Amino acid sequence: MIDIHNLSYQIAGQPVLRDVSLQLAKGGVVAMIGPNGAGKSTLLSLIARLLPLQSGSIVVDDLQIGEATDIELARTLAILRQDLTVASRLTVRDLVGFGRYPYHRGRPGAEDRELIEAALKLFDLADLGDRQLDTLSGGQRQRAFVAMAYAQDTDYLLLDEPLNNLDIAASRALMEVLRDLTRQRGRTVVIVLHDINYAAAYADRIIALKAGEVVADGAPSTIVSDSLLQDVFQTRAKVKTVDGRPIVLV
Amino acid sequence: MSKWLCLIALAALASVSLFVGVIDLLRVDPAEIWPLIRDSRFPRTVATLLTGASLAIAGQIMQLIARNRFVEPMTSGTGQSAALGVLLTAVLFPTAPIGLKMGLASITALGGSVLFFSLIRRLPPTQPLLVPLVGLIYGGIVGAGVTYVAFQADMLQFIEIWMNGEFSGTLRGRYELLWLAGIAAALTYLVADQFSIIGLGEAVSINLGLSYRQVVMLGLLMISVVTALTVVTVGIIPFVGLVVPNMVSLMAGDNLRRTLPITAMAGAGLVLIADLVGRLVIYPFEMPVGTVIGVVGAIAFLWLLYKGGRRAG
Amino acid sequence: MQVRITLMVAALVLCCLAYLSLGARGDWSFVLAFRASKLAALLLVSFALSWATVIFQTITGSRILTPAIMGFDALFLLLLSLLVWSIGGQAYQALPVQGLMAANAALLCSAALILFKVVLRAGRDNMMQMILTGVVLSVLFRSLTSYVLRVIDPNEYAVVQAASFARFSNIDTSLLTLAAGLSLVAGLGVWHLRHRLDVTSLGPVLSTSLGEPPQRLQWQVLILISILVSVSTALVGPVAFFGLLVTSLTYLIIPSSRHADILPAAALIAGIILVGGQTMMERVLDLNTPLSVVVEFLGGLVFLFLLLRSLR
């Protein structure tokens, strides 16, 4: 479980998160939605200790962020951010291989290699394994990074807008893989999404943020509505229910 | 496979280097051969190999930490800071032993690199070319400081020695510090994966459980020691740290676990060849190694950039 | 911005007055005439270098490139040493001054055109590649020069060496008229192109879609740059970081990307640095350190300070 308690964060005096408290139970896909600047990425970065805590606390399982060791945390949660530019010339296999670093610390074993190959296969990268990252398309590179996070084999996977560079087929494939991870392996995926329809289709729980506060939280069918869009995004869009699932008409 | 070929070629070149010099080994009294090799030819050959390998690795590590391909210790302030340290020691403690000189040079070099990296940390990642720009100007500032001090202390000639690397003065008893540089560079292989990950950026490093700051400091320490030792013993040799890692990266990528040995061999080979050419091209006089590297390295680099790069690119 | 320009004009005028008057002794008319011609040379150099760098950065679309970084100075020295090597130092020095400058300028122009054309073609869509090429080429030229210098005999070495260091204190004023004429022509040319340069600075895609493909301007601009740089190199020799420093400062100080604003400001800043620095060095501090060292040191510090402040 990720337990977030009274979390606040400021950048240059401007509050980005205001006293957020959340419990994210183990297992399932949790989608975070909200307008630009709502604090979603900051929240994710704080959980992943990429930013130092200012006030409040975050506990992942029994690991207190800010106190637990780097390696313990690296084996518990993995994060993938939006910015995927890499100056290094690495092959896809190299990159995915670094996902195993928290376990082998520089000495990969047979098990690590198997997991790397499995990750390449799962994300449809087997043929691209020896290609250099800078020769890939945006979507392929995105998949390589997701595969790296997957290879890290953590209970918690935090993804910041991973669908940005993907077409509809790749987006659906990725979301399905993530959902399978939660169903078959009991993993927890926390994902920032812009497209509410993807959130409604694949998430078990949606958390809506606005101006640094949680304004809605619950199962997609219960919270995605005309009024949510009006409140959170200030836009008038109709929500219809198709096959028992809410769909935003854009 | 190709690694072994490289190693054999390097060994062959090194043995050739033992035979090149003003005195022809084949025509000299056999009793003098051993002292000649022991006191001059062997130290010189080893010095070129150590310098080349450690500078190439230092350049590679610096580029990974800066996440930028255009920086190298000798042009981004580290080399100049080391020279400043040597100069200050020479001005303040003219009789200091070489160990103290080296220590002070390492400290100023480390200070210079830490300052450089704290400067470039603030640069926006959207403008990667600002990094070498700041590096050039920063190196220029420190270099101007060195020239100024030298001018005031009337030591411009000393500066010339440290600013232009040369191996002609390498003799037994005067190059051994380079072994330390070689060891410092070799130690990086133990933490090769950590440095590769650093090259992916701070977020990825933290995510994979690396203590980013420690690894960066370790890298800077290694760069500074290598640079300072090189400046103290042979002088500034530019370009090796820039060209070799870029060439290796173009051909073999950036996974250090795989490429560090190649980088070391390529650096050693480049400096050795340059020194050989320098000894032969205007025989019996010598061309400084930096000049030859400028020509040989530049041509090799351009060729790679336009021909070899296509394959990897 | 008008305020800043006015302030800069005032600062430059002050620097010039200080340069002319401070510490003058003896026959005033003689001193003034002597100093005025040196001042004119300094101003010409400021103008030529700053404008050359600004338009070079515009057509390459990069704020880090300067003709010097791309190997222009290095190429000049290489050609010079080759010339001295082939015809001999005495024959070289026996050439008439004006002819020498004309020959230098012609050499520079043709070499620069080839160099820039090659480099720019190499990096048409790959800025990193272009910069690497330039940096590597300049190392190549510099090394070849020092190779040639080692081969030629010491007397001829001195001829080349005299030309290869920036010298602000003993400027070759006999070239002034020719240099002024060339700068005027090139300057008018640049000014005439200023609006097209504005469009070019938007980048290849936007400028092409606006009907001003960057390739079309390249030749004209390159010729103008070659003329301007040869003027400055002939007068004071190569000054590595000066151009970069001036444009960096200009873009930090002037909140505009219109060439009609940038060009005058760059020339003013260059003038203030050169004339002010030279005054300080020669008249006030009475230091014997070369100005290029001070320019690099203080100018570099100012650049870093402004850069870091602008990021905050």
Side-chain angles (χ1 to χ4, degrees):
Chain A
M1 180 164 97
I2 300 179
D3 192 354
I4 299 164
H5 200 65
N6 297 113
L7 190 68
S8 295
Y9 195 82
Q10 299 189 335
I11 295 174
Q14 296 292 318
V16 180
L17 291 175
R18 304 165 199 256
D19 202 28
V20 172
S21 293
L22 274 174
Q23 265 99 39
L24 306 177
K26 206 162 191 166
V29 176
V30 180
M32 293 210 227
I33 61 169
N36 296 328
K40 302 166 304 228
S41 296
T42 306
L43 180 55
L44 226 54
S45 293
L46 285 169
I47 300 174
R49 77 208 179 283
L50 298 181
L51 295 172
L53 287 179
Q54 289 175 347
S55 70
S57 72
I58 301 172
V59 179
V60 181
D61 287 347
D62 49 355
L63 301 173
Q64 174 100 29
I65 302 289
E67 286 170 20
T69 66
D70 289 320
I71 287 289
E72 278 177 314
L73 280 168
R75 292 176 184 177
T76 308
L77 60 87
I79 185 170
L80 190 62
R81 294 216 297 184
Q82 286 163 280
D83 158 43
L84 298 178
T85 47
V86 171
S88 303
R89 283 198 187 84
L90 292 173
T91 63
V92 173
R93 186 170 282 110
D94 284 340
L95 182 80
V96 176
F98 281 127
R100 298 301 301 160
Y101 174 81
Y103 301 91
H104 63 63
R105 313 293 296 271
R107 305 268 172 280
E111 188 196 349
D112 295 314
R113 283 196 203 95
E114 265 168 40
L115 258 160
I116 292 165
E117 294 309 316
L120 288 174
K121 214 157 150 199
L122 181 63
F123 291 92
D124 208 10
L125 293 163
D127 298 338
L128 301 174
D130 294 320
R131 284 269 294 275
Q132 301 278 344
L133 282 178
D134 51 3
T135 66
L136 300 183
S137 72
Q140 290 167 330
R141 198 175 314 156
Q142 182 96 19
R143 289 214 307 275
F145 273 90
V146 179
M148 171 186 171
Y150 170 81
Q152 211 175 324
D153 197 20
T154 53
D155 282 342
Y156 298 90
L157 195 52
L158 315 178
L159 302 155
D160 196 351
E161 296 182 25
L163 304 185
N164 266 358
N165 294 310
L166 303 182
D167 61 28
I168 179 164
S171 299
R172 294 189 64 231
L174 175 60
M175 292 308 295
E176 267 157 32
V177 169
L178 293 174
R179 189 167 58 185
D180 290 348
L181 276 178
T182 65
R183 297 288 182 274
Q184 289 157 15
R185 310 251 187 114
R187 300 289 163 79
T188 312
V189 172
V190 184
I191 186 168
V192 172
L193 288 175
H194 264 307
D195 190 328
I196 299 171
N197 284 335
Y198 276 96
Y202 293 98
D204 302 302
R205 176 179 173 190
I206 293 182
I207 295 171
L209 272 87
K210 184 188 169 190
E213 288 176 273
V214 176
V215 288
D217 183 353
S221 54
T222 60
I223 70 157
V224 175
S225 64
D226 297 9
S227 63
L228 177 87
L229 288 165
Q230 176 69 47
D231 288 350
V232 177
F233 292 94
Q234 263 108 43
T235 183
R236 272 176 222 281
K238 283 233 172 314
V239 175
K240 291 262 188 290
T241 304
V242 178
D243 292 347
R245 176 207 294 176
I247 294 199
V248 180
L249 301 178
V250 287
Chain B
M1 173 43 201
S2 61
K3 238 182 240 180
W4 293 111
L5 274 182
C6 287
L7 206 59
I8 291 169
L10 202 56
L13 275 174
S15 24
V16 169
S17 159
L18 293 178
F19 287 92
V20 174
V22 177
I23 302 170
D24 187 347
L25 278 190
L26 301 176
R27 294 188 190 174
V28 85
D29 179 3
E32 286 175 24
I33 291 184
W34 169 241
L36 182 68
I37 287 190
R38 183 193 56 195
D39 294 341
S40 162
R41 300 284 168 83
F42 179 73
R44 181 168 188 159
T45 305
V46 172
T48 55
L49 294 174
L50 287 173
T51 309
S54 51
L55 281 184
I57 292 179
Q60 169 80 72
I61 301 290
M62 186 146 182
Q63 289 170 16
L64 281 175
I65 296 179
R67 300 186 73 193
N68 196 297
R69 297 218 167 270
F70 301 107
V71 295
E72 66 138 338
M74 293 298 185
T75 51
S76 306
T78 310
Q80 288 86 346
S81 304
L84 188 64
V86 185
L87 180 65
L88 288 178
T89 330
V91 172
L92 300 176
F93 319 104
T95 55
I98 190 149
L100 180 66
K101 231 186 231 175
M102 185 212 96
L104 276 178
S106 300
I107 291 171
T108 49
L110 183 61
S113 353
V114 170
L115 191 59
F116 173 64
F117 277 96
S118 65
L119 282 177
I120 63 171
R121 263 181 78 88
R122 304 196 199 177
L123 301 177
T126 46
Q127 293 183 38
L129 288 178
L130 268 181
V131 175
L133 173 65
V134 167
L136 278 173
I137 290 187
Y138 176 70
I141 295 174
V142 182
V146 172
T147 315
Y148 178 79
V149 173
F151 220 98
Q152 300 306 316
D154 204 12
M155 293 185 70
L156 270 183
Q157 292 217 297
F158 276 90
I159 286 294
E160 278 296 299
I161 297 174
W162 296 313
M163 289 300 191
N164 299 320
E166 251 193 294
F167 288 103
S168 53
T170 311
L171 292 172
R172 188 160 73 108
R174 288 176 57 183
Y175 84 102
E176 281 76 1
L177 281 173
L178 287 176
W179 281 106
L180 284 178
I183 292 171
L187 286 177
T188 54
Y189 190 69
L190 296 179
V191 279
D193 279 353
Q194 278 89 330
F195 283 122
S196 301
I197 292 174
I198 289 288
L200 296 173
E202 188 169 358
V204 174
S205 310
I206 294 177
N207 171 49
L208 292 176
L210 222 61
S211 43
Y212 183 78
R213 278 169 175 275
Q214 273 178 27
V215 181
V216 167
M217 270 318 283
L218 194 70
L220 291 186
L221 192 66
M222 174 263 164
I223 294 165
S224 309
V225 167
V226 166
T227 309
L229 288 171
T230 314
V231 170
V232 169
T233 36
V234 292
I236 287 188
I237 298 183
F239 218 45
V240 180
L242 179 71
V243 174
V244 175
N246 271 294
M247 279 166 53
V248 173
S249 157
L250 275 175
M251 291 188 300
D254 278 331
N255 191 343
L256 290 194
R257 178 71 57 192
R258 205 165 46 231
T259 59
L260 262 191
I262 307 177
T263 310
M265 281 193 286
L270 176 63
V271 176
L272 181 62
I273 292 174
D275 188 49
L276 272 174
V277 173
R279 275 187 268 171
L280 292 171
V281 69
I282 46 170
Y283 188 86
F285 303 106
E286 286 200 10
M287 187 71 69
V289 71
T291 304
V292 185
I293 286 185
V295 178
V296 177
I299 293 172
F301 191 72
L302 288 177
W303 179 78
L304 247 174
L305 197 60
Y306 290 96
K307 293 281 182 295
R310 295 275 178 272
R311 255 176 302 133
Chain C
M1 200 176 67
Q2 287 306 326
V3 183
R4 291 182 197 189
I5 296 274
T6 321
L7 277 177
M8 282 193 282
V9 172
L12 182 59
V13 170
L14 270 180
C15 287
C16 292
L17 287 178
Y19 183 81
L20 288 176
S21 58
L22 278 181
R25 250 175 262 119
D27 185 355
W28 267 82
S29 59
F30 172 76
V31 170
L32 274 187
F34 177 68
R35 287 188 177 180
S37 62
K38 274 174 72 175
L39 178 65
L42 284 176
L43 291 175
L44 266 182
V45 169
S46 317
F47 165 77
L49 261 184
S50 58
W51 281 38
T53 315
V54 167
I55 61 177
F56 186 71
Q57 293 187 338
T58 299
I59 59 159
T60 54
S62 159
R63 295 275 165 86
I64 181 180
L65 291 184
T66 67
I69 286 180
M70 299 304 287
F72 194 101
D73 299 359
L75 182 61
F76 169 69
L77 290 179
L78 176 61
L79 291 174
L80 186 68
S81 48
L82 283 176
L83 187 67
V84 172
W85 184 45
S86 56
I87 69 170
Q90 288 193 330
Y92 174 81
Q93 282 188 312
L95 291 175
V97 176
Q98 307 272 338
L100 211 59
M101 164 137 181
N104 275 350
L107 262 184
L108 265 176
C109 278
S110 48
L113 285 179
I114 300 166
L115 173 70
F116 293 152
K117 207 61 197 173
V118 167
V119 172
L120 289 178
R121 174 167 308 151
R124 217 171 8 214
D125 38 29
N126 190 340
M127 180 57 85
M128 291 286 179
Q129 189 151 340
M130 178 159 98
I131 294 175
L132 262 184
T133 309
V135 171
V136 172
L137 276 180
S138 57
V139 174
L140 179 64
F141 295 147
R142 220 161 280 145
S143 305
L144 283 174
T145 308
S146 78
Y147 174 78
V148 175
L149 290 184
R150 292 251 163 180
V151 178
I152 62 182
D153 77 74
N155 292 327
E156 300 178 351
Y157 178 82
V159 176
V160 179
Q161 199 174 31
S164 55
F165 287 101
R167 49 189 192 283
F168 293 102
S169 41
N170 50 349
I171 297 168
D172 204 343
T173 46
S174 57
L175 299 169
L176 266 184
T177 346
L178 182 58
L182 282 174
S183 319
L184 185 68
V185 173
L188 284 176
V190 174
W191 193 248
H192 177 69
L193 293 176
R194 65 191 185 282
H195 298 302
R196 296 173 65 187
L197 285 166
D198 288 344
V199 178
T200 308
S201 63
L202 296 174
V205 177
L206 273 180
S207 62
T208 308
S209 82
L210 289 172
E212 189 64 70
Q215 303 88 299
R216 209 190 305 157
L217 263 184
Q218 250 174 30
W219 278 106
Q220 304 167 39
V221 172
L222 284 179
I223 292 171
L224 292 172
I225 292 172
S226 308
I227 297 173
L228 289 170
V229 175
S230 42
V231 164
S232 128
T233 315
L235 282 175
V236 296
V239 247
F241 280 107
F242 187 60
L244 182 63
L245 201 64
V246 169
T247 51
S248 307
L249 284 173
T250 310
Y251 285 114
L252 284 171
I253 293 173
I254 299 294
S256 160
S257 54
R258 290 174 56 231
H259 282 76
D261 298 326
I262 291 293
L263 287 168
L268 286 171
I269 290 172
I272 294 169
I273 296 178
L274 263 198
V275 179
Q278 190 64 25
T279 312
M280 291 276 280
M281 298 298 305
E282 273 184 38
R283 314 268 192 269
V284 181
L285 298 175
D286 208 17
L287 288 179
N288 54 0
T289 312
L291 176 64
S292 50
V293 170
V294 180
V295 164
E296 208 157 286
F297 187 75
L298 291 181
L301 283 182
V302 171
F303 166 76
L304 286 185
F305 172 74
L306 286 179
L307 177 73
L308 292 177
R309 212 188 54 175
S310 76
L311 291 178
R312 222 176 285 143

